[in-house]
């Protein structure tokens, strides 16, 4: 409980008056649009996602980075360009997520970028497969001021772990976790808040209790169990878990599957956050993995203008009228309700 409190207080500490006023402004914009169907958006997103790289050392079957099947350019985020983005947003945006596709630690300047955002008093979070967290990198990670570190675990034995995390090593994940926890203690740092993320799929669902025990043994701050987004689910999928609680999909009378939840014609994220690819393309959210819905290019136009532009507002309007027809929304659990 105390560990969660520390993380909550860390987030709260980032909320300055300009950031709070910005959050109120964009929140009102969301509810105004929801009630009136009229789009008026000012300010800046409270939360920004920036992609450090598209590269990954693993080959996970439901991930474009792992499959090496991107239909967009691949590369690493450049430090100078990144700093220009942060300089545009930091006065009003307080949460920075350093992850979209790829393994963040592959970018050689990743921790320098984290530190820059930390200097701007932004809450910084990332997700990693932990294969690069040797002793030196773990120490640098803690020193960077990173606020939250999510580590993908996805199995408690090597056989189970690599059934999804192709070419991965559970031993490296455990060792990397130990290194982070060790350096947090050595440096007397409350950050990063360390989360184990267990993506529940059929091959590992029998190890949920063991994963909870492993999290306790390694003294991570929290463990979360995540449902898997599957590209091909209508006719079933070998990765689909049998435990209903951890499946996004429900079997129908004709033997096919559908999302458990009904999409609502709204989405909080479209008014409060955005995603920026490594090369500056602004896309609506993390479900647009191939950046098909590009709403602007921050390398040429400042984010403030893109955020309230006609393309962005047209996308928001489409969400409010017929969200089920938007391809990237069809497999999303954000802004949903349970089918009756």
């Amino acid at each position: 409980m105390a560990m969660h409190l520390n993380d909550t207080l860390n987030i709260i500490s980032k909320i300055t008056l300009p950031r709070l006023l910005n959050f109120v402004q964009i929140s009102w914009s969301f509810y105004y649009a929801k009630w009136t169907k009229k789009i008026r958006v000012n300010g800046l997103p409270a939360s920004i996602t920036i992609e450090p790289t598209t590269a990954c050392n693993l080959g996970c079957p439901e991930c474009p980075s792992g499959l090496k099947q991107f239909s967009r350019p691949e590369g690493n985020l450049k430090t100078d360009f990144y700093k220009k983005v942060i300089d545009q947003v930091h006065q009003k945006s307080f949460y920075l997520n350093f992850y979209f596709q790829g393994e963040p630690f592959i970018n050689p300047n990743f921790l320098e970028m984290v530190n820059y955002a930390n200097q701007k008093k932004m809450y910084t979070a990332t997700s990693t497969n932990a294969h690069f967290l040797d002793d030196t990198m773990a120490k640098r990670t803690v020193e960077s001021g990173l606020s939250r570190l999510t580590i993908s675990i996805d199995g408690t034995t090597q056989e189970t772990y690599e059934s999804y995390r192709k070419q991965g090593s559970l031993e490296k994940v455990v060792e990397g976790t130990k290194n982070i926890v060790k350096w947090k203690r050595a440096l007397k740092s409350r950050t990063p808040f360390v989360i184990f993320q267990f993506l529940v799929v059929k091959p590992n669902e029998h190890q949920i209790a063991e994963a909870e025990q492993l999290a306790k043994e390694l003294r991570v701050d929290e463990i979360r169990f995540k449902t898997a987004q599957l590209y091909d689910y209508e006719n079933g999928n070998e990765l689909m878990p049998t435990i209903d609680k951890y499946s996004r999909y429900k079997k129908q009378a004709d033997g096919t599957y559908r999302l458990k939840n009904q999409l609502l014609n709204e989405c909080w994220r479209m008014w409060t956050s955005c995603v920026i690819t490594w090369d500056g393309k602004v896309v609506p959210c993390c479900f647009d993995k191939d950046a098909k819905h590009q709403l602007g290019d921050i390398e040429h136009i400042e984010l403030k203008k893109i955020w309230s532009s006609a393309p962005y507002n047209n996308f928001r309007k489409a969400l409010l009228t017929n969200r089920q027809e938007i391809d990237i929304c069809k497999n999303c659990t954000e802004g949903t309700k349970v089918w009756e």
Side-chain angles (χ1 to χ4, degrees), residues 28 34 52-54 63 73 120 170 235 283 286 311 333 338:
W28 168 249
K34 181 178 176 180
T53 183
T54 53
C63 174
K120 302 294 184 180
L170 179 61
N235 297 308
V283 298
C286 60
T333 56
V338 177

Side-chain angles (χ1 to χ4, degrees), residues 26 44-49 93-97 272-275 307:
I26 57 177
L44 284 171
S47 173
I48 302 287
T49 292
S93 306
F94 69 91
Y95 194 108
L96 184 61
N97 183 31
T272 59
S273 65
C274 73
V275 175
W307 182 243

Side-chain angles (χ1 to χ4, degrees), residues 5-18:
L5 178 60
N6 288 337
D7 187 49
T8 300
L9 291 175
N10 188 18
I11 294 176
I12 292 173
S13 72
K14 311 301 182 186
I15 303 177
T16 62
L17 182 58

Side-chain angles (χ1 to χ4, degrees), residues 70-72 100 277 279 281-284 287-295 328:
F70 278 118
S71 60
R72 61 182 172 95
F100 180 27
T277 64
D279 57 347
K281 306 302 185 294
V282 178
V283 298
F287 277 82
D288 192 6
K289 295 178 172 61
D290 282 308
K292 294 179 181 178
H293 299 271
Q294 294 181 18
L295 304 173
I328 62 172

Side-chain angles (χ1 to χ4, degrees), residues 14-108:
K14 311 301 182 186
I15 303 177
T16 62
L17 182 58
R19 290 172 178 174
L20 177 61
L21 292 175
N22 179 71
F23 186 77
V24 171
Q25 187 178 40
I26 57 177
S27 297
W28 168 249
S29 297
F30 168 72
Y31 288 107
Y32 179 83
K34 181 178 176 180
W35 297 328
T36 68
K37 306 303 179 184
K38 296 179 181 179
I39 312 298
R40 295 179 183 175
V41 181
N42 295 308
L44 284 171
S47 173
I48 302 287
T49 292
I50 295 182
E51 181 178 56
T53 183
T54 53
C56 188
N57 54 309
L58 302 187
C60 305
E62 296 293 320
C63 174
S65 294
L67 294 171
K68 312 298 187 291
Q69 291 181 354
F70 278 118
S71 60
R72 61 182 172 95
E74 301 175 42
N76 285 340
L77 179 66
K78 305 301 181 187
T79 305
D80 290 344
F81 171 64
Y82 157 80
K83 288 182 177 180
K84 289 179 182 178
V85 174
I86 297 302
D87 290 345
Q88 286 185 38
V89 305
H90 76 87
Q91 291 185 347
K92 293 186 176 181
S93 306
F94 69 91
Y95 194 108
L96 184 61
N97 183 31
F98 275 107
Y99 176 74
F100 180 27
Q101 299 301 302
E103 166 53 47
F105 283 88
I106 286 178
N107 188 317

Side-chain angles (χ1 to χ4, degrees), residues 298-325:
I298 200 172
E299 191 168 10
H300 304 294
I301 306 172
E302 62 180 5
L303 182 59
K304 184 177 181 180
K305 292 182 179 179
I306 296 173
W307 182 243
S308 58
S309 67
Y312 222 130
N313 285 338
N314 288 338
F315 190 87
R316 293 183 178 107
K317 190 172 184 178
L319 283 167
L320 296 175
T321 54
N322 195 1
R323 187 177 172 210
Q324 295 187 36
E325 293 303 311

Side-chain angles (χ1 to χ4, degrees), residues 4 18 25 39 53 62 67 116 124 128 196 222 240 262 327 338:
H4 288 76
Q25 187 178 40
I39 312 298
T53 183
E62 296 293 320
L67 294 171
Y116 188 75
T124 52
T128 179
F196 261 0
E222 183 182 347
M240 197 175 290
Q262 179 184 9
D327 55 348
V338 177

